[in-house]
Amino acid sequence: MSRYEIERPPKKIIEDLKKMYSGIIQDACDKVLGLGVRTWMDANLRPIFDEIKLIGPAITLQMVPPSLSSYKCRSGLSLAFEAIDMAQAGDVFVVGGGLTDSGMWGEMMAIAGTVKGLGGAVVDGGVRDVLAIREMKFPLFYRNPVVTTAQTRLDTISVNDPIQCGGRLVCPGDLVFGDYDGITVVPRDSIDKIYPLCLEYFDTEKKQRTALKQGMRVSQFKEDIL
């Protein structure tokens, strides 16, 4: 089995969840998995533009500081480039490493991802060409902008292995959802349980909003989510 073959949820699940927001997804994860299970990423992974909506199965990349051999041949992003070429439309790249002084993602990767139809990227570290990526509206979360190239400053050592990103473990095929409020990761083996609960919560909240707008007192508001 190729390392680029992952389990992907049905398109209907993606389409339905894309109408929602991160709070709904997180509440459903809390209910199914328990409040003690961390499914959200660090709050300081920030969206590249405010209206962002990112959703899709995770393709994971692990980056580390370079070895002498990778430095000499400038191979730092070669495996990442190959992974983008092999990805499918809707996939979300999750990049671990926490390297904040070199660009773990950049404009050329975002252009390739846009053409490919990727769902976006979550980068636990620095990103270069931030304004260009923002202008093309490529969905991206990152820690900080940088000026330095990654080619001689990091090495991509694995694709689709479990990695740490944003303070939690992410496995290939996990469902990643991000908006302005933050990022939630649904474990791939829990998607079938969490998805129907998201539909239920989404419908419940619509009814609650309508009731509040029609004058229901806040003290009458009953929280059924958790």
Side-chain angles (χ1 to χ4, degrees), residues 10 28 34 50 72 79 92 131 135 169 191 198 203-204:
D50 289 353
K72 287 181 177 179
L79 191 57
V92 170
L131 293 182
E135 184 176 355
L169 183 70
I191 294 173
C198 290
D203 183 62
T204 297

Side-chain angles (χ1 to χ4, degrees), residues 63 76-77 80-81 95 99-107 109 123-130 133 142 144-156:
M63 296 186 180
L77 291 175
F81 294 161
V95 188
L99 305 171
T100 58
D101 58 354
S102 59
M104 297 169 63
W105 197 272
E107 180 186 8
M109 298 168 81
V123 180
D124 194 351
V127 165
R128 195 158 87 153
D129 314 314
V130 167
I133 298 172
Y142 69 114
N144 57 280
V146 295
V147 69
T148 48
T149 179
Q151 285 286 43
T152 57
R153 293 182 176 88
L154 59 78
D155 215 359
T156 309

Side-chain angles (χ1 to χ4, degrees), residues 22-180:
S22 56
I24 289 283
I25 314 298
Q26 184 59 52
D27 287 347
C29 286
D30 288 342
K31 185 71 171 182
V32 172
L33 302 174
L35 294 173
V37 177
R38 175 168 175 157
T39 54
W40 64 94
M41 289 192 181
D42 292 342
N44 57 0
L45 281 170
R46 297 311 304 152
I48 198 163
F49 56 91
D50 289 353
E51 303 82 11
I52 194 169
K53 184 69 69 73
L54 174 153
I55 182 171
I59 299 288
T60 63
L61 299 177
Q62 180 65 46
M63 296 186 180
V64 297
S67 64
L68 180 60
S69 61
S70 67
Y71 178 82
K72 287 181 177 179
C73 66
R74 294 174 60 86
S75 63
L77 291 175
S78 297
L79 191 57
F81 294 161
E82 179 183 299
I84 292 173
D85 287 341
M86 297 299 293
Q88 294 186 16
D91 290 346
V92 170
F93 273 74
V94 179
V95 188
L99 305 171
T100 58
D101 58 354
S102 59
M104 297 169 63
W105 197 272
E107 180 186 8
M108 301 308 165
M109 298 168 81
I111 291 174
T114 299
V115 172
K116 193 84 176 182
L118 296 182
V122 179
V123 180
D124 194 351
V127 165
R128 195 158 87 153
D129 314 314
V130 167
L131 293 182
I133 298 172
R134 180 179 296 159
E135 184 176 355
M136 71 179 77
K137 295 291 185 180
F138 179 78
L140 175 75
F141 286 82
Y142 69 114
R143 288 202 182 273
N144 57 280
V146 295
V147 69
T148 48
T149 179
Q151 285 286 43
T152 57
R153 293 182 176 88
L154 59 78
D155 215 359
T156 309
I157 61 169
S158 73
V159 177
N160 282 338
D161 287 325
I163 64 166
Q164 288 287 331
C165 181
R168 65 145 293 151
L169 183 70
V170 181
C171 296
D174 286 352
L175 184 61
V176 185
F177 187 100
D179 59 18
Y180 185 79

